Amino acid sequence: RRQPYKISIAGGKPVFNRKGGRLVQLPKDPYILVSLINTKLRDFYADPEDLCKSLGLDQNQLEQTLSAAGFRYDPATNQYR
């Protein structure tokens, strides 16, 4: 498996940590963001807690961002729906 990018949420804006000398901002569109998070859950992580611990994310802030767009975590599918 590929090594996942490190993600953090700084100043209310989610961003990728430095890789290759540049900082890449996560998508602001909640539908693209949930797609990215779901892909990481599918490919690398057992649950959001594992994802957040590994990537240094604030889980509450991630869940607030996604829930504001109407997404809730479904443990049966390991996806936000």
Side-chain angles (χ1 to χ4, degrees):
R1 293 190 178 198
R2 293 171 283 152
Q3 180 67 19
Y5 286 99
K6 296 282 186 177
I7 303 174
S8 62
I9 299 179
K13 295 182 181 178
V15 294
F16 286 109
N17 286 339
R18 292 189 184 279
K19 180 176 173 90
R22 63 190 178 107
L23 195 62
V24 181
Q25 191 169 4
L26 281 175
K28 292 181 182 181
D29 183 298
Y31 297 98
I32 297 172
L33 177 61
V34 78
S35 177
L36 176 69
I37 296 299
N38 281 340
T39 298
K40 292 198 173 294
L41 285 169
R42 181 194 68 213
D43 293 346
F44 301 109
Y45 302 102
D47 56 37
E49 182 179 356
D50 184 31
L51 178 141
C52 290
K53 282 182 182 177
S54 178
L55 301 179
L57 284 172
D58 177 43
Q59 186 174 352
N60 290 330
Q61 189 171 14
L62 176 65
E63 290 181 0
Q64 286 176 0
T65 300
L66 294 177
S67 69
F71 296 104
R72 301 286 184 266
Y73 179 69
D74 176 13
T77 60
N78 192 30
Q79 299 286 289
Y80 283 91
R81 304 265 177 188

